[in-house]
Amino acid sequence: MSTINPYQAYQQNSVLTASPQELTLMLYNGCVKFIKIAKRAMLEKNIEEKNTNIIKAQNIVNELRATLNLDIEISKNMDQLYEYMYTRLIEANTKNDIEILIEVEGYARDMRETWKQVMGSVKGQ
């Protein structure tokens, strides 16, 4: 018989009950979190943890790309930025370059903050 971790149950319920806008915010939060963990692992020379977390960040960037409606002009621009971020994450991983991680983390943070503002303005309408 397996026991259910209350935190895992809460997380699962949060995802299952979240709006599409909240899910996007969760993706941005996850991307930032995994890059932060990868940076720490890189500094600690923990190659396996660094690699695992960079790949998690790459998967999130790919998921964000998959949600874009490329019929909308701004989505095309975002697609290019996501592609750039994805490529830079690969480069950071292969070169063990923390500066690249810092760069990509900055983009993810900026996009997260912009998304929060958009969510706030939509709720205010």
Side-chain angles (χ1 to χ4, degrees):
M1 179 164 121
S2 68
T3 60
I4 297 174
N5 177 331
Y7 179 70
Q8 287 175 327
Y10 170 78
Q11 279 188 312
Q12 185 176 9
N13 285 335
S14 294
V15 170
L16 293 174
T17 60
S19 70
Q21 296 80 11
E22 291 167 329
L23 288 172
T24 300
L25 184 59
M26 288 178 188
L27 287 172
Y28 285 128
N29 286 335
C31 189
V32 170
K33 172 185 147 187
F34 294 130
I35 291 171
K36 285 173 66 175
I37 294 169
K39 287 186 331 190
R40 187 194 71 236
M42 193 179 284
L43 291 172
E44 295 172 354
K45 309 259 189 275
N46 184 336
I47 302 304
E48 185 177 341
E49 184 178 19
K50 173 211 66 158
N51 182 57
T52 297
N53 285 284
I54 290 176
I55 289 171
K56 287 179 180 181
Q58 287 173 274
N59 289 339
I60 288 172
V61 170
N62 273 341
E63 184 62 29
L64 288 165
R65 283 185 83 184
T67 66
L68 294 174
N69 177 351
L70 295 177
D71 294 333
I72 301 170
E73 192 60 38
I74 194 165
S75 292
K76 293 175 186 174
N77 296 334
M78 290 178 71
D79 186 54
Q80 290 175 346
L81 179 57
Y82 290 146
E83 181 179 355
Y84 177 77
M85 290 169 65
Y86 184 86
T87 302
R88 294 293 281 168
L89 286 168
I90 292 171
E91 192 175 348
N93 203 0
T94 57
K95 294 182 177 180
N96 279 323
D97 190 327
I98 200 161
E99 293 301 318
I100 295 173
L101 286 180
I102 292 168
E103 173 194 1
V104 176
E105 181 183 18
Y107 290 131
R109 284 181 184 276
D110 289 348
M111 293 175 83
R112 177 182 66 186
E113 293 310 308
T114 301
W115 189 252
K116 282 182 186 177
Q117 290 174 2
V118 168
M119 285 177 65
S121 68
V122 168
K123 283 183 182 178
Q125 290 181 350

